[in-house]
Amino acid sequence: MYLYLKPAFWTTLILVSSIWTSVGVNAEEEECPSMADAGSLQQTQLIQRLTHVCRYDRLERPFEYDSDGKRLPIVVKTRIYVYFLQNLNSDLLQFKMHALLQLRFQDKRLAYKAFNRSDNILGQKHLSERLWLPHIFFANERESSILGTDEKDVLTSLSPEGNVIISTRMQASLYCWMNFQKFPFDQQFCSTVLESWMYNTSDLILEWEPHTPISFDPEMRLTEYNMAQFWHNTTIVESDGNNLRHGAFAGNYSSLSFTVNLKREIGFYLLDYYLPSMMIVAISWVSFWLQADASPPRIMLGTSTMLSFITLSSSQSKNLPKVSYIKVSEVWFLGCTFFIFGSLVEFAFVNTIWRRKENIELKKVNSKYIIKSTLTPRPARRQIGGSLSNESRARSCSSLDNIVSSTESVRNGTGNGTVNQGFNNYLTVHPNLPIIRTECAEADTVSICSARTSNDHIVDVDKDKKDTPPTFTTMTPQEIAMWIDRRSRFLFPAMFLAFNALYWTFVYVL
């Protein structure tokens, strides 16, 4: 059937096939532009031809081979310049950083030195979008972004040898796991960790630049912290099926990190927390100079100082996380609370004593017996005192001439002895003791008085005074309350000074 077609049809078919063949050849030539005139091309044209799909695949990393033909991993050099570092956010456990991140690597596919060109090619984000770039991320980031107004601040530099430098100005909020046991005398170690996202160590290795890998703006200042030192490190992170923070899920990944040591400045806390708390504790001691029955002013003073100190402490700790361990600031809080609460307890104690109706008998006027007598039940002490007073008898002994022994007169039941009323030297004798005879002898000008018992044992009266029963001193409840207040005026400050010495020694030893 085709043999009967007209010759005009065959002529048209031949012309169409020839035109189609010529169009396909031209299309192939446009798909892979020539680099013959690369020396005279503009930078945009040169980049377009270098990164054409026939020569460059931006999804494939740069490759290099060793002498055995084994493919080597690409090495990415890293440098960071920090020009802003915000104070640590203790509540969120993070800090904010503005920095310039610079990555440098070699891609020989982009080398154009052979075309007699020696100028570097500079561009912004549109240039970096045509190139292969390593995917680097902050392992401890909360959020990060590239800075810029109309266009993102990304600078791309390409050298004739194929060296690519990507400089990115970025901000990042990074987590910092802090320890507040020594707060506010603490120091924190905050790290910035960079890791490869897609390529493991068989494809990509991160390294710090050999010269000045980490640098800080000399004009950078921190208000609450002082940067003591910093250091950098290079590690390998092992990823498995349980650790899914990398793109390939398994393998060893290259990691870079640098750590800053931030020491907290304590000047603010000394002026706004420690000194005011000391003054509040000292104000609570004013109640010791008030009378024990002045209940309204002493209660108001104690409660107001307690509430003021709690408010002061709450304002300092509200920005801290809720941790389970005890901080150094909490030790100070507990100590000051103890002294303020102690002044309230002291008032309740002396006020209770002040309102007693009966006097208090004391063996001796000192702290031991006063505190003991205020705590001992009164009926037991009254019974003891009454039995001693009812069952004891007094005897007197005098060393003067012409004195009749009072003991003898008591024994004989006669009271006609002459006793000198100008001297009151009494000897108390209990009924259960033997009857004592007193004999007085003169030796020159010294009179010696002795006592003879029924068993003819001679006992010197002045020799053993321990046999004499104790005499009690009576104090009114008001006198005891004022005595306790006077002692508290010195005891509480002395104890608070000792607490301060122990606290600050503990802080600086740690």
Side-chain angles (χ1 to χ4, degrees):
M1 182 178 72
Y2 295 104
L3 296 175
Y4 296 100
L5 294 176
K6 294 181 179 182
F9 174 77
W10 293 107
T11 304
T12 304
L13 183 60
I14 293 171
L15 290 174
V16 171
S17 57
S18 62
I19 292 172
W20 181 261
T21 303
S22 63
V23 171
V25 172
N26 292 333
E28 291 180 0
E29 290 180 355
E30 290 180 1
E31 287 180 359
C32 191
S34 175
M35 296 294 296
D37 56 346
S40 60
L41 296 176
Q42 297 179 355
Q43 289 188 354
T44 303
Q45 295 174 339
L46 179 60
I47 289 297
Q48 290 177 351
R49 295 192 181 185
L50 287 174
T51 58
H52 198 274
V53 292
C54 66
R55 296 187 179 91
Y56 190 85
D57 185 5
R58 67 182 304 268
L59 298 180
E60 185 179 5
R61 70 173 182 86
F63 54 88
E64 233 181 276
Y65 298 92
D66 58 5
S67 58
D68 298 334
K70 183 180 178 181
R71 195 170 183 178
L72 299 176
I74 182 173
V75 178
V76 179
K77 301 288 185 179
T78 308
R79 175 183 283 121
I80 292 182
Y81 175 75
V82 181
Y83 56 89
F84 174 76
L85 190 64
Q86 193 178 22
N87 284 329
L88 302 181
N89 191 334
S90 302
D91 189 17
L92 299 177
L93 299 177
Q94 66 182 23
F95 67 99
K96 192 173 184 180
M97 177 183 67
H98 289 191
L100 180 68
L101 176 62
Q102 187 179 93
L103 305 176
R104 181 174 63 90
F105 60 93
Q106 186 178 30
D107 191 347
K108 293 184 178 180
R109 297 174 296 177
L110 301 175
Y112 55 89
K113 188 176 182 180
F115 304 113
N116 297 324
R117 298 191 66 132
S118 60
D119 54 333
N120 293 336
I121 300 177
L122 298 178
Q124 299 187 49
K125 187 177 181 181
H126 66 277
L127 177 57
S128 63
E129 290 176 349
R130 303 181 67 93
L131 307 178
W132 175 90
L133 298 178
H135 193 164
I136 308 299
F137 74 102
F138 290 102
N140 61 329
E141 74 171 340
R142 181 176 181 267
E143 59 181 2
S144 62
S145 60
I146 300 176
L147 299 176
T149 53
D150 296 335
E151 190 173 357
K152 299 300 182 181
D153 296 340
V154 178
L155 176 62
T156 306
S157 174
L158 180 61
S159 68
E161 294 80 11
N163 293 323
V164 182
I165 299 178
I166 306 296
S167 300
T168 305
R169 198 170 67 93
M170 61 187 308
Q171 65 176 1
S173 296
L174 306 174
Y175 288 110
C176 179
W177 311 119
M178 307 177 193
N179 189 343
F180 296 100
Q181 286 185 338
K182 299 181 182 180
F183 175 84
F185 308 94
D186 57 331
Q187 55 179 339
Q188 305 298 337
F189 300 91
C190 296
S191 300
T192 301
V193 184
L194 293 90
E195 295 181 7
S196 173
W197 165 255
M198 183 182 300
Y199 300 100
N200 54 28
T201 54
S202 61
D203 295 323
L204 186 144
I205 295 178
L206 294 174
E207 293 182 358
W208 289 111
E209 288 282 0
H211 302 290
T212 318
I214 309 295
S215 57
F216 294 86
D217 187 358
E219 300 297 328
M220 186 180 68
R221 295 291 184 272
L222 296 175
T223 56
E224 190 176 351
Y225 291 89
N226 180 27
M227 188 171 64
Q229 57 181 341
F230 64 92
W231 59 89
H232 57 84
N233 193 16
T234 302
T235 58
I236 299 296
V237 178
E238 183 178 356
S239 178
D240 51 18
N242 297 325
N243 185 5
L244 302 180
R245 68 179 183 180
H246 297 88
F249 298 149
N252 296 328
Y253 291 82
S254 182
S255 174
L256 300 178
S257 64
F258 73 93
T259 305
V260 292
N261 181 14
L262 300 176
K263 292 185 177 181
R264 194 185 299 270
E265 296 287 348
I266 65 173
F268 169 79
Y269 295 93
L270 288 177
L271 296 177
D272 282 39
Y273 180 61
Y274 284 97
L275 289 181
S277 59
M278 291 180 186
M279 296 176 64
I280 291 175
V281 173
I283 290 173
S284 67
W285 300 336
V286 176
S287 63
F288 301 149
W289 273 263
L290 300 178
Q291 195 164 320
D293 62 341
S295 299
R298 295 189 71 162
I299 292 176
M300 183 187 68
L301 185 63
T303 55
S304 61
T305 52
M306 177 66 76
L307 294 176
S308 299
F309 178 69
I310 292 176
T311 304
L312 177 65
S313 301
S314 300
S315 64
Q316 298 298 327
S317 59
K318 65 181 180 180
N319 294 326
L320 296 178
K322 307 303 184 290
V323 295
S324 58
Y325 50 80
I326 297 179
K327 301 184 288 292
V328 172
S329 60
E330 293 175 346
V331 175
W332 178 264
F333 170 78
L334 295 176
C336 293
T337 304
F338 170 79
F339 284 99
I340 297 175
F341 183 74
S343 64
L344 285 171
V345 173
E346 191 271 349
F347 159 69
F349 184 64
V350 298
N351 185 262
T352 303
I353 297 174
W354 183 280
R355 290 185 284 108
R356 289 181 179 177
K357 302 300 183 181
E358 299 180 0
N359 296 340
I360 299 175
E361 298 175 353
L362 303 175
K363 185 176 181 181
K364 292 182 181 180
V365 183
N366 56 27
S367 303
K368 174 183 176 181
Y369 291 101
I370 289 179
I371 301 299
K372 184 178 179 180
S373 62
T374 55
L375 299 177
T376 303
R378 292 185 57 81
R381 189 171 61 255
R382 184 186 302 171
Q383 293 174 2
I384 296 174
S387 62
L388 290 177
S389 60
N390 294 331
E391 297 178 1
S392 62
R393 293 179 295 176
R395 304 289 184 266
S396 63
C397 175
S398 174
S399 61
L400 299 177
D401 296 333
N402 301 323
I403 298 300
V404 180
S405 172
S406 60
T407 305
E408 191 69 26
S409 62
V410 170
R411 182 180 181 184
N412 297 331
T414 60
N416 56 358
T418 303
V419 179
N420 191 346
Q421 302 296 328
F423 295 88
N424 294 322
N425 296 328
Y426 296 101
L427 178 65
T428 302
V429 181
H430 291 277
N432 55 351
L433 297 177
I435 301 299
I436 301 175
R437 292 192 184 94
T438 58
E439 297 179 0
C440 298
E442 283 192 6
D444 296 332
T445 60
V446 179
S447 297
I448 302 174
C449 181
S450 62
R452 182 180 299 274
T453 64
S454 58
N455 296 326
D456 295 334
H457 294 290
I458 297 177
V459 180
D460 290 336
V461 176
D462 295 332
K463 181 178 180 181
D464 191 3
K465 294 184 179 180
K466 292 188 292 184
D467 295 338
T468 304
T471 59
F472 288 93
T473 302
T474 302
M475 292 182 67
T476 63
Q478 292 74 22
E479 291 175 343
I480 292 181
M482 290 187 293
W483 184 90
I484 295 175
D485 274 340
R486 287 194 299 268
R487 294 299 186 273
S488 299
R489 297 171 191 173
F490 301 98
L491 179 62
F492 274 73
M495 293 175 59
F496 190 66
L497 290 177
F499 168 72
N500 273 267
L502 292 175
Y503 178 81
W504 295 106
T505 302
F506 173 76
V507 166
Y508 285 102
V509 166
L510 287 181

Short mmCIF file of all heavy atoms in Angstrom, two decimals, residues 342-361:
data_model
loop_
_atom_site.label_atom_id
_atom_site.label_comp_id
_atom_site.label_asym_id
_atom_site.label_seq_id
_atom_site.Cartn_x
_atom_site.Cartn_y
_atom_site.Cartn_z
N GLY A 342 14.07 31.73 116.07
CA GLY A 342 14.56 31.61 117.45
C GLY A 342 14.20 32.81 118.29
O GLY A 342 13.92 32.68 119.49
N SER A 343 14.22 34.01 117.71
CA SER A 343 13.82 35.20 118.47
C SER A 343 12.35 35.15 118.85
O SER A 343 11.96 35.59 119.94
CB SER A 343 14.12 36.46 117.66
OG SER A 343 13.34 36.50 116.47
N LEU A 344 11.51 34.60 117.96
CA LEU A 344 10.10 34.43 118.30
C LEU A 344 9.91 33.40 119.43
O LEU A 344 9.11 33.60 120.34
CB LEU A 344 9.32 34.00 117.06
CG LEU A 344 9.05 35.08 116.01
CD1 LEU A 344 8.47 34.46 114.75
CD2 LEU A 344 8.12 36.14 116.56
N VAL A 345 10.65 32.30 119.35
CA VAL A 345 10.55 31.28 120.39
C VAL A 345 11.04 31.83 121.73
O VAL A 345 10.47 31.56 122.79
CB VAL A 345 11.34 30.03 119.98
CG1 VAL A 345 11.40 29.01 121.10
CG2 VAL A 345 10.73 29.40 118.73
N GLU A 346 12.10 32.65 121.69
CA GLU A 346 12.62 33.24 122.92
C GLU A 346 11.59 34.16 123.55
O GLU A 346 11.41 34.18 124.78
CB GLU A 346 13.90 34.01 122.60
CG GLU A 346 14.69 34.46 123.82
CD GLU A 346 14.25 35.82 124.32
OE1 GLU A 346 13.49 36.50 123.59
OE2 GLU A 346 14.66 36.21 125.43
N PHE A 347 10.86 34.92 122.72
CA PHE A 347 9.81 35.78 123.27
C PHE A 347 8.70 34.95 123.91
O PHE A 347 8.22 35.28 125.01
CB PHE A 347 9.23 36.67 122.16
CG PHE A 347 7.87 37.19 122.49
CD1 PHE A 347 7.69 38.13 123.50
CD2 PHE A 347 6.74 36.72 121.82
CE1 PHE A 347 6.43 38.60 123.82
CE2 PHE A 347 5.49 37.18 122.13
CZ PHE A 347 5.32 38.13 123.14
N ALA A 348 8.28 33.89 123.25
CA ALA A 348 7.24 33.05 123.83
C ALA A 348 7.70 32.45 125.15
O ALA A 348 6.89 32.32 126.10
CB ALA A 348 6.86 31.94 122.84
N PHE A 349 8.96 32.11 125.27
CA PHE A 349 9.50 31.51 126.50
C PHE A 349 9.51 32.51 127.65
O PHE A 349 9.01 32.23 128.74
CB PHE A 349 10.89 30.97 126.21
CG PHE A 349 11.52 30.25 127.37
CD1 PHE A 349 10.97 29.08 127.86
CD2 PHE A 349 12.67 30.74 127.96
CE1 PHE A 349 11.55 28.42 128.92
CE2 PHE A 349 13.25 30.08 129.03
CZ PHE A 349 12.70 28.92 129.50
N VAL A 350 10.08 33.70 127.40
CA VAL A 350 10.18 34.70 128.48
C VAL A 350 8.81 35.26 128.82
O VAL A 350 8.54 35.62 129.98
CB VAL A 350 11.15 35.82 128.09
CG1 VAL A 350 12.56 35.28 127.89
CG2 VAL A 350 10.69 36.56 126.84
N ASN A 351 7.91 35.36 127.85
CA ASN A 351 6.57 35.85 128.16
C ASN A 351 5.81 34.87 129.04
O ASN A 351 5.04 35.28 129.93
CB ASN A 351 5.80 36.09 126.85
CG ASN A 351 4.45 36.72 127.08
OD1 ASN A 351 3.43 36.04 127.10
ND2 ASN A 351 4.44 38.04 127.26
N THR A 352 6.02 33.56 128.82
CA THR A 352 5.40 32.56 129.68
C THR A 352 5.93 32.66 131.11
O THR A 352 5.17 32.55 132.09
CB THR A 352 5.65 31.16 129.12
OG1 THR A 352 5.14 31.10 127.78
CG2 THR A 352 4.98 30.10 129.97
N ILE A 353 7.23 32.86 131.25
CA ILE A 353 7.81 33.01 132.60
C ILE A 353 7.31 34.28 133.26
O ILE A 353 7.03 34.31 134.46
CB ILE A 353 9.36 32.99 132.49
CG1 ILE A 353 9.83 31.64 131.94
CG2 ILE A 353 9.99 33.28 133.83
CD1 ILE A 353 11.31 31.59 131.67
N TRP A 354 7.22 35.37 132.49
CA TRP A 354 6.81 36.66 133.06
C TRP A 354 5.43 36.57 133.69
O TRP A 354 5.15 37.23 134.70
CB TRP A 354 6.83 37.70 131.94
CG TRP A 354 6.50 39.10 132.38
CD1 TRP A 354 5.25 39.62 132.61
CD2 TRP A 354 7.42 40.14 132.66
NE1 TRP A 354 5.33 40.92 132.99
CE2 TRP A 354 6.66 41.28 133.04
CE3 TRP A 354 8.81 40.24 132.63
CZ2 TRP A 354 7.25 42.50 133.36
CZ3 TRP A 354 9.39 41.46 132.94
CH2 TRP A 354 8.62 42.57 133.31
N ARG A 355 4.54 35.78 133.10
CA ARG A 355 3.15 35.72 133.58
C ARG A 355 2.96 34.75 134.74
O ARG A 355 1.82 34.53 135.15
CB ARG A 355 2.25 35.34 132.40
CG ARG A 355 2.11 36.44 131.37
CD ARG A 355 1.13 36.11 130.26
NE ARG A 355 1.69 35.16 129.30
CZ ARG A 355 1.32 33.90 129.20
NH1 ARG A 355 0.42 33.41 130.04
NH2 ARG A 355 1.87 33.10 128.30
N ARG A 356 4.03 34.15 135.25
CA ARG A 356 3.89 33.29 136.42
C ARG A 356 3.63 34.12 137.68
O ARG A 356 4.09 35.27 137.80
CB ARG A 356 5.15 32.44 136.61
CG ARG A 356 5.31 31.36 135.55
CD ARG A 356 6.55 30.54 135.80
NE ARG A 356 6.69 29.48 134.79
CZ ARG A 356 7.72 28.64 134.73
NH1 ARG A 356 8.71 28.74 135.64
NH2 ARG A 356 7.76 27.72 133.80
N LYS A 357 2.93 33.53 138.62
CA LYS A 357 2.54 34.25 139.83
C LYS A 357 3.49 34.04 141.00
O LYS A 357 3.58 34.89 141.89
CB LYS A 357 1.13 33.81 140.24
CG LYS A 357 0.07 34.03 139.17
CD LYS A 357 -0.06 35.49 138.79
CE LYS A 357 -1.18 35.69 137.77
NZ LYS A 357 -1.30 37.11 137.38
N GLU A 358 4.19 32.93 141.05
CA GLU A 358 5.01 32.59 142.21
C GLU A 358 6.48 32.79 141.89
O GLU A 358 6.91 32.68 140.74
CB GLU A 358 4.76 31.14 142.63
CG GLU A 358 3.33 30.86 143.03
CD GLU A 358 3.12 29.41 143.42
OE1 GLU A 358 4.12 28.66 143.37
OE2 GLU A 358 2.00 29.04 143.78
N ASN A 359 7.25 33.06 142.91
CA ASN A 359 8.69 33.22 142.77
C ASN A 359 9.35 31.86 142.50
O ASN A 359 8.77 30.80 142.77
CB ASN A 359 9.29 33.86 144.01
CG ASN A 359 8.79 35.27 144.22
OD1 ASN A 359 8.30 35.89 143.28
ND2 ASN A 359 8.91 35.77 145.44
N ILE A 360 10.55 31.94 142.02
CA ILE A 360 11.28 30.73 141.66
C ILE A 360 12.52 30.63 142.51
O ILE A 360 13.27 31.60 142.66
CB ILE A 360 11.65 30.75 140.16
CG1 ILE A 360 10.38 30.82 139.30
CG2 ILE A 360 12.48 29.54 139.78
CD1 ILE A 360 10.66 30.97 137.82
N GLU A 361 12.74 29.47 143.11
CA GLU A 361 13.90 29.23 143.97
C GLU A 361 15.05 28.68 143.13
O GLU A 361 14.87 27.74 142.34
CB GLU A 361 13.53 28.26 145.08
CG GLU A 361 12.43 28.79 145.99
CD GLU A 361 12.00 27.75 147.00
OE1 GLU A 361 12.47 26.60 146.88
OE2 GLU A 361 11.19 28.07 147.89
#
